[in-house]
PDB file of all heavy atoms in Angstrom:
ATOM      1  N   VAL P   1     114.350  96.903  94.892  1.00 89.00           N
ATOM      2  CA  VAL P   1     113.252  96.080  95.399  1.00 89.00           C
ATOM      3  C   VAL P   1     113.479  95.722  96.871  1.00 89.00           C
ATOM      4  O   VAL P   1     112.565  95.838  97.698  1.00 89.00           O
ATOM      5  CB  VAL P   1     113.086  94.800  94.545  1.00 89.00           C
ATOM      6  CG1 VAL P   1     112.147  93.796  95.227  1.00 89.00           C
ATOM      7  CG2 VAL P   1     112.543  95.159  93.162  1.00 89.00           C
ATOM      8  N   ILE P   2     114.698  95.308  97.210  1.00 84.00           N
ATOM      9  CA  ILE P   2     114.994  94.933  98.592  1.00 84.00           C
ATOM     10  C   ILE P   2     114.913  96.142  99.514  1.00 84.00           C
ATOM     11  O   ILE P   2     114.357  96.071 100.625  1.00 84.00           O
ATOM     12  CB  ILE P   2     116.389  94.271  98.690  1.00 84.00           C
ATOM     13  CG1 ILE P   2     116.388  92.929  97.946  1.00 84.00           C
ATOM     14  CG2 ILE P   2     116.784  94.065 100.151  1.00 84.00           C
ATOM     15  CD1 ILE P   2     115.397  91.914  98.486  1.00 84.00           C
ATOM     16  N   GLN P   3     115.436  97.289  99.070  1.00 81.00           N
ATOM     17  CA  GLN P   3     115.336  98.498  99.881  1.00 81.00           C
ATOM     18  C   GLN P   3     113.883  98.889 100.107  1.00 81.00           C
ATOM     19  O   GLN P   3     113.486  99.253 101.226  1.00 81.00           O
ATOM     20  CB  GLN P   3     116.084  99.647  99.219  1.00 81.00           C
ATOM     21  CG  GLN P   3     117.587  99.628  99.430  1.00 81.00           C
ATOM     22  CD  GLN P   3     118.256 100.828  98.807  1.00 81.00           C
ATOM     23  OE1 GLN P   3     117.916 101.245  97.701  1.00 81.00           O
ATOM     24  NE2 GLN P   3     119.238 101.385  99.500  1.00 81.00           N
ATOM     25  N   SER P   4     113.085  98.822  99.057  1.00 89.00           N
ATOM     26  CA  SER P   4     111.663  99.174  99.169  1.00 89.00           C
ATOM     27  C   SER P   4     110.954  98.235 100.133  1.00 89.00           C
ATOM     28  O   SER P   4     110.106  98.658 100.929  1.00 89.00           O
ATOM     29  CB  SER P   4     110.992  99.102  97.788  1.00 89.00           C
ATOM     30  OG  SER P   4     111.575 100.015  96.890  1.00 89.00           O
ATOM     31  N   HIS P   5     111.309  96.960 100.052  1.00 90.00           N
ATOM     32  CA  HIS P   5     110.707  95.968 100.951  1.00 90.00           C
ATOM     33  C   HIS P   5     111.031  96.274 102.410  1.00 90.00           C
ATOM     34  O   HIS P   5     110.140  96.290 103.272  1.00 90.00           O
ATOM     35  CB  HIS P   5     111.217  94.572 100.585  1.00 90.00           C
ATOM     36  CG  HIS P   5     110.978  93.546 101.647  1.00 90.00           C
ATOM     37  ND1 HIS P   5     109.726  93.091 101.980  1.00 90.00           N
ATOM     38  CD2 HIS P   5     111.846  92.905 102.483  1.00 90.00           C
ATOM     39  CE1 HIS P   5     109.825  92.202 102.956  1.00 90.00           C
ATOM     40  NE2 HIS P   5     111.093  92.079 103.276  1.00 90.00           N
ATOM     41  N   ILE P   6     112.292  96.548 102.689  1.00 82.00           N
ATOM     42  CA  ILE P   6     112.688  96.791 104.075  1.00 82.00           C
ATOM     43  C   ILE P   6     112.115  98.115 104.574  1.00 82.00           C
ATOM     44  O   ILE P   6     111.714  98.236 105.738  1.00 82.00           O
ATOM     45  CB  ILE P   6     114.215  96.738 104.221  1.00 82.00           C
ATOM     46  CG1 ILE P   6     114.733  95.358 103.788  1.00 82.00           C
ATOM     47  CG2 ILE P   6     114.633  96.995 105.667  1.00 82.00           C
ATOM     48  CD1 ILE P   6     116.238  95.226 103.760  1.00 82.00           C
ATOM     49  N   LEU P   7     112.039  99.110 103.708  1.00 83.00           N
ATOM     50  CA  LEU P   7     111.367 100.356 104.082  1.00 83.00           C
ATOM     51  C   LEU P   7     109.906 100.091 104.438  1.00 83.00           C
ATOM     52  O   LEU P   7     109.374 100.635 105.413  1.00 83.00           O
ATOM     53  CB  LEU P   7     111.452 101.369 102.937  1.00 83.00           C
ATOM     54  CG  LEU P   7     112.778 102.103 102.765  1.00 83.00           C
ATOM     55  CD1 LEU P   7     112.781 102.883 101.447  1.00 83.00           C
ATOM     56  CD2 LEU P   7     113.009 103.061 103.928  1.00 83.00           C
ATOM     57  N   ALA P   8     109.253  99.249 103.637  1.00 90.00           N
ATOM     58  CA  ALA P   8     107.848  98.915 103.894  1.00 90.00           C
ATOM     59  C   ALA P   8     107.684  98.135 105.194  1.00 90.00           C
ATOM     60  O   ALA P   8     106.627  98.197 105.830  1.00 90.00           O
ATOM     61  CB  ALA P   8     107.275  98.108 102.723  1.00 90.00           C
ATOM     62  N   MET P   9     108.717  97.411 105.594  1.00 88.00           N
ATOM     63  CA  MET P   9     108.668  96.689 106.860  1.00 88.00           C
ATOM     64  C   MET P   9     108.606  97.647 108.046  1.00 88.00           C
ATOM     65  O   MET P   9     107.898  97.402 109.030  1.00 88.00           O
ATOM     66  CB  MET P   9     109.898  95.784 107.009  1.00 88.00           C
ATOM     67  CG  MET P   9     109.892  94.542 106.125  1.00 88.00           C
ATOM     68  SD  MET P   9     111.462  93.628 106.233  1.00 88.00           S
ATOM     69  CE  MET P   9     111.461  93.131 107.959  1.00 88.00           C
ATOM     70  N   TYR P  10     109.345  98.732 107.957  1.00 82.00           N
ATOM     71  CA  TYR P  10     109.511  99.594 109.128  1.00 82.00           C
ATOM     72  C   TYR P  10     108.774 100.931 109.050  1.00 82.00           C
ATOM     73  O   TYR P  10     108.506 101.541 110.087  1.00 82.00           O
ATOM     74  CB  TYR P  10     111.005  99.836 109.366  1.00 82.00           C
ATOM     75  CG  TYR P  10     111.742  98.567 109.703  1.00 82.00           C
ATOM     76  CD1 TYR P  10     112.563  97.941 108.771  1.00 82.00           C
ATOM     77  CD2 TYR P  10     111.595  97.976 110.952  1.00 82.00           C
ATOM     78  CE1 TYR P  10     113.231  96.761 109.082  1.00 82.00           C
ATOM     79  CE2 TYR P  10     112.252  96.797 111.272  1.00 82.00           C
ATOM     80  CZ  TYR P  10     113.074  96.199 110.328  1.00 82.00           C
ATOM     81  OH  TYR P  10     113.718  95.025 110.640  1.00 82.00           O
ATOM     82  N   LEU P  11     108.449 101.402 107.857  1.00 86.00           N
ATOM     83  CA  LEU P  11     107.745 102.685 107.720  1.00 86.00           C
ATOM     84  C   LEU P  11     106.410 102.722 108.468  1.00 86.00           C
ATOM     85  O   LEU P  11     106.075 103.747 109.089  1.00 86.00           O
ATOM     86  CB  LEU P  11     107.530 103.007 106.238  1.00 86.00           C
ATOM     87  CG  LEU P  11     107.047 104.416 105.911  1.00 86.00           C
ATOM     88  CD1 LEU P  11     108.056 105.454 106.400  1.00 86.00           C
ATOM     89  CD2 LEU P  11     106.815 104.567 104.409  1.00 86.00           C
ATOM     90  N   PRO P  12     105.614 101.631 108.470  1.00 88.00           N
ATOM     91  CA  PRO P  12     104.349 101.670 109.215  1.00 88.00           C
ATOM     92  C   PRO P  12     104.516 101.858 110.716  1.00 88.00           C
ATOM     93  O   PRO P  12     103.538 102.142 111.409  1.00 88.00           O
ATOM     94  CB  PRO P  12     103.726 100.293 108.911  1.00 88.00           C
ATOM     95  CG  PRO P  12     104.346  99.856 107.641  1.00 88.00           C
ATOM     96  CD  PRO P  12     105.758 100.383 107.701  1.00 88.00           C
ATOM     97  N   SER P  13     105.755 101.720 111.212  1.00 82.00           N
ATOM     98  CA  SER P  13     105.970 101.908 112.641  1.00 82.00           C
ATOM     99  C   SER P  13     105.664 103.331 113.093  1.00 82.00           C
ATOM    100  O   SER P  13     105.494 103.588 114.281  1.00 82.00           O
ATOM    101  CB  SER P  13     107.421 101.549 113.003  1.00 82.00           C
ATOM    102  OG  SER P  13     107.675 100.185 112.741  1.00 82.00           O
ATOM    103  N   PHE P  14     105.582 104.277 112.159  1.00 82.00           N
ATOM    104  CA  PHE P  14     105.167 105.630 112.495  1.00 82.00           C
ATOM    105  C   PHE P  14     103.738 105.650 113.041  1.00 82.00           C
ATOM    106  O   PHE P  14     103.383 106.518 113.833  1.00 82.00           O
ATOM    107  CB  PHE P  14     105.251 106.538 111.273  1.00 82.00           C
ATOM    108  CG  PHE P  14     106.624 107.084 111.013  1.00 82.00           C
ATOM    109  CD1 PHE P  14     107.336 106.688 109.888  1.00 82.00           C
ATOM    110  CD2 PHE P  14     107.208 107.994 111.884  1.00 82.00           C
ATOM    111  CE1 PHE P  14     108.608 107.197 109.640  1.00 82.00           C
ATOM    112  CE2 PHE P  14     108.477 108.506 111.645  1.00 82.00           C
ATOM    113  CZ  PHE P  14     109.177 108.101 110.519  1.00 82.00           C
ATOM    114  N   PHE P  15     102.917 104.677 112.584  1.00 85.00           N
ATOM    115  CA  PHE P  15     101.514 104.717 112.987  1.00 85.00           C
ATOM    116  C   PHE P  15     100.943 103.393 113.481  1.00 85.00           C
ATOM    117  O   PHE P  15      99.841 103.363 114.025  1.00 85.00           O
ATOM    118  CB  PHE P  15     100.648 105.213 111.814  1.00 85.00           C
ATOM    119  CG  PHE P  15     100.835 104.447 110.536  1.00 85.00           C
ATOM    120  CD1 PHE P  15     100.162 103.249 110.310  1.00 85.00           C
ATOM    121  CD2 PHE P  15     101.694 104.912 109.552  1.00 85.00           C
ATOM    122  CE1 PHE P  15     100.333 102.544 109.129  1.00 85.00           C
ATOM    123  CE2 PHE P  15     101.876 104.212 108.361  1.00 85.00           C
ATOM    124  CZ  PHE P  15     101.188 103.019 108.157  1.00 85.00           C
ATOM    125  N   SER P  16     101.651 102.286 113.333  1.00 84.00           N
ATOM    126  CA  SER P  16     101.077 100.993 113.722  1.00 84.00           C
ATOM    127  C   SER P  16     100.807 100.921 115.224  1.00 84.00           C
ATOM    128  O   SER P  16      99.813 100.320 115.657  1.00 84.00           O
ATOM    129  CB  SER P  16     101.990  99.837 113.283  1.00 84.00           C
ATOM    130  OG  SER P  16     103.304  99.999 113.763  1.00 84.00           O
ATOM    131  N   GLY P  17     101.676 101.551 116.033  1.00 81.00           N
ATOM    132  CA  GLY P  17     101.428 101.566 117.477  1.00 81.00           C
ATOM    133  C   GLY P  17     100.131 102.282 117.818  1.00 81.00           C
ATOM    134  O   GLY P  17      99.338 101.819 118.641  1.00 81.00           O
ATOM    135  N   ARG P  18      99.895 103.412 117.176  1.00 83.00           N
ATOM    136  CA  ARG P  18      98.661 104.164 117.428  1.00 83.00           C
ATOM    137  C   ARG P  18      97.434 103.423 116.900  1.00 83.00           C
ATOM    138  O   ARG P  18      96.347 103.523 117.485  1.00 83.00           O
ATOM    139  CB  ARG P  18      98.759 105.550 116.799  1.00 83.00           C
ATOM    140  CG  ARG P  18      99.786 106.448 117.480  1.00 83.00           C
ATOM    141  CD  ARG P  18      99.688 107.880 117.030  1.00 83.00           C
ATOM    142  NE  ARG P  18     100.626 108.724 117.754  1.00 83.00           N
ATOM    143  CZ  ARG P  18     100.692 110.039 117.611  1.00 83.00           C
ATOM    144  NH1 ARG P  18      99.867 110.658 116.773  1.00 83.00           N
ATOM    145  NH2 ARG P  18     101.575 110.749 118.303  1.00 83.00           N
ATOM    146  N   LEU P  19      97.607 102.710 115.805  1.00 88.00           N
ATOM    147  CA  LEU P  19      96.484 101.917 115.284  1.00 88.00           C
ATOM    148  C   LEU P  19      96.088 100.842 116.284  1.00 88.00           C
ATOM    149  O   LEU P  19      94.894 100.571 116.480  1.00 88.00           O
ATOM    150  CB  LEU P  19      96.860 101.286 113.941  1.00 88.00           C
ATOM    151  CG  LEU P  19      96.947 102.226 112.737  1.00 88.00           C
ATOM    152  CD1 LEU P  19      97.419 101.468 111.504  1.00 88.00           C
ATOM    153  CD2 LEU P  19      95.597 102.884 112.455  1.00 88.00           C
ATOM    154  N   ILE P  20      97.076 100.231 116.928  1.00 87.00           N
ATOM    155  CA  ILE P  20      96.786  99.213 117.943  1.00 87.00           C
ATOM    156  C   ILE P  20      96.087  99.850 119.135  1.00 87.00           C
ATOM    157  O   ILE P  20      95.117  99.297 119.668  1.00 87.00           O
ATOM    158  CB  ILE P  20      98.085  98.511 118.380  1.00 87.00           C
ATOM    159  CG1 ILE P  20      98.600  97.601 117.254  1.00 87.00           C
ATOM    160  CG2 ILE P  20      97.859  97.691 119.650  1.00 87.00           C
ATOM    161  CD1 ILE P  20      99.915  96.927 117.551  1.00 87.00           C
ATOM    162  N   GLU P  21      96.572 101.014 119.557  1.00 83.00           N
ATOM    163  CA  GLU P  21      95.949 101.695 120.688  1.00 83.00           C
ATOM    164  C   GLU P  21      94.496 102.060 120.401  1.00 83.00           C
ATOM    165  O   GLU P  21      93.659 102.091 121.305  1.00 83.00           O
ATOM    166  CB  GLU P  21      96.750 102.951 121.039  1.00 83.00           C
ATOM    167  CG  GLU P  21      98.122 102.641 121.643  1.00 83.00           C
ATOM    168  CD  GLU P  21      99.030 103.852 121.707  1.00 83.00           C
ATOM    169  OE1 GLU P  21      98.555 104.959 121.355  1.00 83.00           O
ATOM    170  OE2 GLU P  21     100.200 103.705 122.099  1.00 83.00           O
ATOM    171  N   ARG P  22      94.188 102.314 119.126  1.00 86.00           N
ATOM    172  CA  ARG P  22      92.825 102.720 118.769  1.00 86.00           C
ATOM    173  C   ARG P  22      91.925 101.549 118.424  1.00 86.00           C
ATOM    174  O   ARG P  22      90.773 101.482 118.863  1.00 86.00           O
ATOM    175  CB  ARG P  22      92.872 103.698 117.590  1.00 86.00           C
ATOM    176  CG  ARG P  22      91.498 104.207 117.169  1.00 86.00           C
ATOM    177  CD  ARG P  22      91.589 105.326 116.169  1.00 86.00           C
ATOM    178  NE  ARG P  22      90.265 105.809 115.799  1.00 86.00           N
ATOM    179  CZ  ARG P  22      90.032 106.801 114.952  1.00 86.00           C
ATOM    180  NH1 ARG P  22      91.055 107.448 114.404  1.00 86.00           N
ATOM    181  NH2 ARG P  22      88.809 107.175 114.657  1.00 86.00           N
ATOM    182  N   PHE P  23      92.430 100.606 117.617  1.00 87.00           N
ATOM    183  CA  PHE P  23      91.576  99.521 117.110  1.00 87.00           C
ATOM    184  C   PHE P  23      91.857  98.163 117.740  1.00 87.00           C
ATOM    185  O   PHE P  23      91.068  97.234 117.581  1.00 87.00           O
ATOM    186  CB  PHE P  23      91.722  99.407 115.582  1.00 87.00           C
ATOM    187  CG  PHE P  23      91.328 100.647 114.838  1.00 87.00           C
ATOM    188  CD1 PHE P  23      92.290 101.460 114.264  1.00 87.00           C
ATOM    189  CD2 PHE P  23      89.988 101.013 114.727  1.00 87.00           C
ATOM    190  CE1 PHE P  23      91.937 102.612 113.575  1.00 87.00           C
ATOM    191  CE2 PHE P  23      89.624 102.161 114.039  1.00 87.00           C
ATOM    192  CZ  PHE P  23      90.603 102.972 113.463  1.00 87.00           C
ATOM    193  N   GLY P  24      92.981  98.020 118.410  1.00 87.00           N
ATOM    194  CA  GLY P  24      93.330  96.745 119.008  1.00 87.00           C
ATOM    195  C   GLY P  24      94.295  95.952 118.136  1.00 87.00           C
ATOM    196  O   GLY P  24      94.322  96.094 116.909  1.00 87.00           O
ATOM    197  N   ALA P  25      95.091  95.103 118.783  1.00 86.00           N
ATOM    198  CA  ALA P  25      96.105  94.320 118.070  1.00 86.00           C
ATOM    199  C   ALA P  25      95.491  93.297 117.118  1.00 86.00           C
ATOM    200  O   ALA P  25      96.040  93.014 116.054  1.00 86.00           O
ATOM    201  CB  ALA P  25      97.017  93.626 119.076  1.00 86.00           C
ATOM    202  N   ALA P  26      94.344  92.742 117.493  1.00 88.00           N
ATOM    203  CA  ALA P  26      93.728  91.703 116.657  1.00 88.00           C
ATOM    204  C   ALA P  26      93.335  92.255 115.284  1.00 88.00           C
ATOM    205  O   ALA P  26      93.505  91.592 114.263  1.00 88.00           O
ATOM    206  CB  ALA P  26      92.504  91.125 117.362  1.00 88.00           C
ATOM    207  N   ARG P  27      92.805  93.473 115.261  1.00 91.00           N
ATOM    208  CA  ARG P  27      92.406  94.087 113.992  1.00 91.00           C
ATOM    209  C   ARG P  27      93.623  94.326 113.095  1.00 91.00           C
ATOM    210  O   ARG P  27      93.577  94.107 111.887  1.00 91.00           O
ATOM    211  CB  ARG P  27      91.681  95.412 114.241  1.00 91.00           C
ATOM    212  CG  ARG P  27      90.327  95.254 114.905  1.00 91.00           C
ATOM    213  CD  ARG P  27      89.358  94.516 114.018  1.00 91.00           C
ATOM    214  NE  ARG P  27      88.036  94.428 114.606  1.00 91.00           N
ATOM    215  CZ  ARG P  27      87.070  93.630 114.180  1.00 91.00           C
ATOM    216  NH1 ARG P  27      87.311  92.821 113.159  1.00 91.00           N
ATOM    217  NH2 ARG P  27      85.895  93.609 114.769  1.00 91.00           N
ATOM    218  N   LEU P  28      94.704  94.797 113.707  1.00 92.00           N
ATOM    219  CA  LEU P  28      95.912  95.038 112.917  1.00 92.00           C
ATOM    220  C   LEU P  28      96.490  93.719 112.410  1.00 92.00           C
ATOM    221  O   LEU P  28      97.028  93.641 111.302  1.00 92.00           O
ATOM    222  CB  LEU P  28      96.946  95.783 113.755  1.00 92.00           C
ATOM    223  CG  LEU P  28      98.021  96.522 112.943  1.00 92.00           C
ATOM    224  CD1 LEU P  28      97.402  97.701 112.213  1.00 92.00           C
ATOM    225  CD2 LEU P  28      99.153  97.007 113.835  1.00 92.00           C
ATOM    226  N   MET P  29      96.356  92.680 113.207  1.00 93.00           N
ATOM    227  CA  MET P  29      96.816  91.354 112.807  1.00 93.00           C
ATOM    228  C   MET P  29      96.040  90.864 111.582  1.00 93.00           C
ATOM    229  O   MET P  29      96.621  90.316 110.633  1.00 93.00           O
ATOM    230  CB  MET P  29      96.634  90.385 113.970  1.00 93.00           C
ATOM    231  CG  MET P  29      97.463  89.127 113.908  1.00 93.00           C
ATOM    232  SD  MET P  29      97.226  88.129 115.398  1.00 93.00           S
ATOM    233  CE  MET P  29      98.014  89.169 116.633  1.00 93.00           C
ATOM    234  N   GLU P  30      94.743  91.065 111.594  1.00 93.00           N
ATOM    235  CA  GLU P  30      93.909  90.680 110.454  1.00 93.00           C
ATOM    236  C   GLU P  30      94.313  91.458 109.200  1.00 93.00           C
ATOM    237  O   GLU P  30      94.374  90.893 108.101  1.00 93.00           O
ATOM    238  CB  GLU P  30      92.439  90.935 110.776  1.00 93.00           C
ATOM    239  CG  GLU P  30      91.881  89.991 111.835  1.00 93.00           C
ATOM    240  CD  GLU P  30      90.513  90.430 112.347  1.00 93.00           C
ATOM    241  OE1 GLU P  30      90.094  91.567 112.015  1.00 93.00           O
ATOM    242  OE2 GLU P  30      89.871  89.655 113.074  1.00 93.00           O
ATOM    243  N   ALA P  31      94.608  92.745 109.377  1.00 94.00           N
ATOM    244  CA  ALA P  31      95.044  93.555 108.235  1.00 94.00           C
ATOM    245  C   ALA P  31      96.359  93.025 107.674  1.00 94.00           C
ATOM    246  O   ALA P  31      96.567  92.997 106.451  1.00 94.00           O
ATOM    247  CB  ALA P  31      95.193  95.007 108.664  1.00 94.00           C
ATOM    248  N   GLY P  32      97.247  92.579 108.558  1.00 94.00           N
ATOM    249  CA  GLY P  32      98.511  92.009 108.107  1.00 94.00           C
ATOM    250  C   GLY P  32      98.321  90.752 107.284  1.00 94.00           C
ATOM    251  O   GLY P  32      98.996  90.547 106.262  1.00 94.00           O
ATOM    252  N   LEU P  33      97.390  89.898 107.696  1.00 95.00           N
ATOM    253  CA  LEU P  33      97.113  88.678 106.939  1.00 95.00           C
ATOM    254  C   LEU P  33      96.523  88.998 105.564  1.00 95.00           C
ATOM    255  O   LEU P  33      96.842  88.339 104.573  1.00 95.00           O
ATOM    256  CB  LEU P  33      96.156  87.788 107.730  1.00 95.00           C
ATOM    257  CG  LEU P  33      96.744  87.152 109.002  1.00 95.00           C
ATOM    258  CD1 LEU P  33      95.652  86.459 109.809  1.00 95.00           C
ATOM    259  CD2 LEU P  33      97.854  86.166 108.666  1.00 95.00           C
ATOM    260  N   VAL P  34      95.673  90.019 105.506  1.00 95.00           N
ATOM    261  CA  VAL P  34      95.100  90.434 104.218  1.00 95.00           C
ATOM    262  C   VAL P  34      96.205  90.931 103.288  1.00 95.00           C
ATOM    263  O   VAL P  34      96.241  90.588 102.097  1.00 95.00           O
ATOM    264  CB  VAL P  34      94.033  91.531 104.423  1.00 95.00           C
ATOM    265  CG1 VAL P  34      93.623  92.145 103.089  1.00 95.00           C
ATOM    266  CG2 VAL P  34      92.811  90.959 105.134  1.00 95.00           C
ATOM    267  N   LEU P  35      97.127  91.724 103.818  1.00 96.00           N
ATOM    268  CA  LEU P  35      98.238  92.231 103.009  1.00 96.00           C
ATOM    269  C   LEU P  35      99.113  91.088 102.488  1.00 96.00           C
ATOM    270  O   LEU P  35      99.572  91.119 101.339  1.00 96.00           O
ATOM    271  CB  LEU P  35      99.086  93.197 103.835  1.00 96.00           C
ATOM    272  CG  LEU P  35      98.455  94.570 104.110  1.00 96.00           C
ATOM    273  CD1 LEU P  35      99.247  95.317 105.177  1.00 96.00           C
ATOM    274  CD2 LEU P  35      98.388  95.390 102.827  1.00 96.00           C
ATOM    275  N   TYR P  36      99.326  90.073 103.310  1.00 96.00           N
ATOM    276  CA  TYR P  36     100.092  88.911 102.860  1.00 96.00           C
ATOM    277  C   TYR P  36      99.374  88.187 101.715  1.00 96.00           C
ATOM    278  O   TYR P  36     100.008  87.739 100.749  1.00 96.00           O
ATOM    279  CB  TYR P  36     100.318  87.950 104.030  1.00 96.00           C
ATOM    280  CG  TYR P  36     101.616  88.181 104.770  1.00 96.00           C
ATOM    281  CD1 TYR P  36     102.349  89.343 104.595  1.00 96.00           C
ATOM    282  CD2 TYR P  36     102.114  87.225 105.645  1.00 96.00           C
ATOM    283  CE1 TYR P  36     103.536  89.547 105.280  1.00 96.00           C
ATOM    284  CE2 TYR P  36     103.304  87.414 106.337  1.00 96.00           C
ATOM    285  CZ  TYR P  36     104.010  88.587 106.146  1.00 96.00           C
ATOM    286  OH  TYR P  36     105.199  88.782 106.821  1.00 96.00           O
ATOM    287  N   ALA P  37      98.068  88.057 101.833  1.00 95.00           N
ATOM    288  CA  ALA P  37      97.291  87.386 100.782  1.00 95.00           C
ATOM    289  C   ALA P  37      97.387  88.149  99.467  1.00 95.00           C
ATOM    290  O   ALA P  37      97.566  87.560  98.392  1.00 95.00           O
ATOM    291  CB  ALA P  37      95.840  87.237 101.221  1.00 95.00           C
TER     292      ALA P  37
END
């Protein structure tokens, strides 16, 4: 469980930078809050 969690923390780094470049940081921030909920 802990390994999966930490992998999930860093695996999106393959594409999160490009998502920000395309959609903006605010949109990605909103997606993060939804995932937390």
